[in-house]
Amino acid sequence: MGLKRGVSLSAGLRYKGPSGYLTYILHRIGGLGMAIFITVHLLASFIGGRTGGFFNGIYENWAFQIFIFFCVLFHAINGLRITILDLWPKLLDYQKEAIWLEWAVFIPLFGISVFVIMNSALGG
Amino acid sequence: MTTKRTLSIKQRGLTNFEAVMWIFTRLSALAIYGLILVGLIGALIMGARNQMNFADVMRWAFMPNVTHVQSTDLQDLNPWASPFWKLTASALLLVAVAHGVHGLVVIADDYIAGAGARKFIRFLSIVMMISMSGIGLYLIWTS
Ligand code: HEM
């Protein structure tokens, strides 16, 4: 079984791949961010009251909204790139080009989102 | 090297649990895309005449639960609380929880190497998967 591989925690944390490392670590941060957010949000909504209200209040903050939008948008777009290349493995030869295309999609979409979030945060 | 990593899925085969979860992660990603698209199109159909801002539409698309549109200017919330949306929300919840919790195990495996600790992580992930699915379904169907 795949239960044993023998890599220490510090070695794991120091890992830095030769290429595609930035998308890999951002994908991980995005997935982790969403998983933590959804867990806390579900528990807070379930508990309700003042404690639940406190946690759910965090999500109205514009800084949090920008962070979670980054997580969702990057993870979704990068995840689509991974999925397409993995299901049609011949395309893996064009991984570099696919990553450039991915940034070309992500940057404008995230830029517009940040603009809209800040616009309503400042304008009320 | 390039020939090896571009082997088709058929040639590689789905030989063990990890391989099945590998393909599940990709297929569930596509399913999440589809369900978000359904929520987005539904919101545009149901709310076309009403005032709803960008954040409201996004919140609804990522989880089409009626509590997510309660703070908007929508006049009639009934269509947004229909069984169709509760079923769509439930499907999105179950798929996303399975995808997300398995993803957490993948991350944990990269940093935790001991066999006992990995077994414990798997136990924890099953507890988390069941409790999050249960709480989520409860919230969707009682809202
Ligand atoms: C449109 C939505 C989504 C897409 C397209 C997507 C796609 C993917 C893909 C393809 C992977 C595998 C990455 C790899 O093996 O290298 C992955 C991993 C993961 N996903 Fe998602 N996902 C989506 C939504 C979510 C959501 C909602 C959550 C949180 C609940 C989530 C949490 C994770 C986690 C924690 C991982 C593991 C990350 C890692 O191994 O570093 N994903 N996702």
Side-chain angles (χ1 to χ4, degrees):
Chain A
M1 265 198 76
L3 281 179
K4 226 174 158 182
R5 202 170 49 209
V7 179
S8 73
L9 176 62
S10 59
L13 284 173
R14 269 187 279 110
Y15 170 78
K16 195 173 181 316
S19 76
Y21 177 74
L22 183 63
T23 51
Y24 150 80
I25 201 67
L26 290 179
H27 192 79
R28 179 155 286 192
I29 292 168
L32 211 71
M34 278 192 288
I36 293 171
F37 161 61
I38 293 171
T39 307
V40 174
H41 179 49
L42 280 180
L43 289 174
S45 306
F46 184 64
I47 295 165
R50 277 179 63 200
T51 319
F54 168 76
F55 282 107
N56 279 341
I58 298 173
Y59 310 141
E60 322 247 314
N61 189 298
W62 60 266
F64 180 84
Q65 289 183 353
I66 288 178
F67 169 72
I68 204 67
F69 232 88
F70 179 88
C71 290
V72 171
L73 219 52
F74 188 86
H75 192 93
I77 293 172
N78 189 56
L80 190 60
R81 191 259 308 171
I82 295 172
T83 302
I84 293 172
L85 265 56
D86 277 352
L87 294 185
W88 288 275
K90 289 224 157 55
L91 292 176
L92 279 170
D93 288 341
Y94 303 98
Q95 161 135 298
K96 274 227 168 69
E97 289 81 354
I99 291 177
W100 280 113
L101 180 65
E102 180 189 329
W103 285 113
V105 174
F106 173 78
I107 292 172
L109 277 182
F110 185 60
I112 294 170
S113 310
V114 169
F115 177 78
V116 171
I117 291 170
M118 288 318 289
N119 214 18
S120 64
L122 297 175
Chain B
M1 184 206 147
T2 36
T3 47
K4 209 170 180 186
R5 71 172 193 165
T6 56
L7 274 184
S8 77
I9 296 161
K10 258 209 195 98
Q11 287 164 299
R12 268 176 285 151
L14 290 176
T15 45
N16 57 26
F17 180 71
E18 307 297 332
V20 172
M21 288 313 285
W22 181 88
I23 194 80
F24 170 78
T25 298
R26 274 113 192 109
L27 296 182
S28 60
L30 291 178
I32 295 172
Y33 256 98
L35 289 165
I36 287 179
L37 213 63
V38 170
L40 206 56
I41 294 169
L44 290 174
I45 293 172
M46 293 187 298
R49 286 162 292 135
N50 300 291
Q51 288 298 310
M52 228 174 136
N53 65 33
F54 175 75
D56 295 332
V57 176
M58 284 298 123
R59 197 168 53 219
W60 167 265
F62 287 122
M63 181 38 80
N65 190 29
V66 67
T67 51
H68 281 163
V69 289
Q70 252 154 19
S71 60
T72 64
D73 298 338
L74 289 166
Q75 303 296 318
D76 179 16
L77 287 181
N78 282 329
W80 303 76
S82 71
F84 172 78
W85 287 119
K86 289 196 189 298
L87 284 172
T88 309
S90 305
L92 185 53
L93 171 84
L94 295 179
V95 171
V97 166
H99 174 109
V101 172
H102 175 258
L104 293 179
V105 175
V106 171
I107 295 177
D109 270 2
D110 274 356
Y111 307 110
I112 297 169
R118 285 187 168 178
K119 280 221 178 75
F120 179 66
I121 290 289
R122 275 152 182 76
F123 168 73
L124 216 62
S125 78
I126 292 169
V127 172
M128 191 174 172
M129 190 141 8
I130 293 172
S131 54
M132 284 300 129
S133 302
I135 292 175
L137 286 175
Y138 171 82
L139 288 169
I140 289 169
W141 289 93
T142 56
S143 66

